Amino acid sequence: MSEIRKHFVSRFKDGNLMEFDFGQIEVVVLAFLSRDRQLIQDIIDGVDMHVVNAANMYNISPTSVTKYQRKVAKGCTFQLQYGAGPHSMAKTWKIPVSLANRFIDEYYGRYPQVKAWQANNIKAVKASRWEIGRAHV
């Protein structure tokens, strides 16, 4: 048990605290919203998408992916989902921008419906911002 967890105790006699891990909930939500067939299939099949993405990013086999490479790919995955670009990824993970670009290209190559869904959302946000701006003129 970590030092921090030792300080969290139940107020009930013999009570327990519960911890939930919603592992990759963002990925599941993204698959649902984007309806990306490959992402849905990867989730159903239990594919470790971070290993696959790292293998594609580094141009190596999935069995050769190191823990650090998986960590970088996982971080890039979530950064991309939340709108980061290659320069932000490169800075965060101390990788060349060209490698971040490769990750993006490979990720969207594998999950093209995610890219389309994101692009449609960006258009909708920009359009609604314009409409809101015009409404207040």
Side-chain angles (χ1 to χ4, degrees), residues 5 9 15 23 27 32-34 39 62-63 74 90-91 94 97 103 115-116 123 126 135:
R5 286 188 182 181
V9 295
V27 175
F32 176 80
L33 293 173
S34 70
L39 186 54
T63 56
K74 181 178 180 179
K91 184 176 180 184
K94 297 174 179 51
V97 173
F103 171 82
K115 183 176 185 173
K123 273 187 198 174
K126 287 180 178 178

Side-chain angles (χ1 to χ4, degrees), residues 80-101:
L80 189 58
Q81 286 178 8
Y82 287 99
H87 294 281
S88 178
M89 291 177 195
K91 184 176 180 184
T92 300
W93 296 104
K94 297 174 179 51
I95 60 174
V97 173
S98 60
L99 188 58
N101 277 318

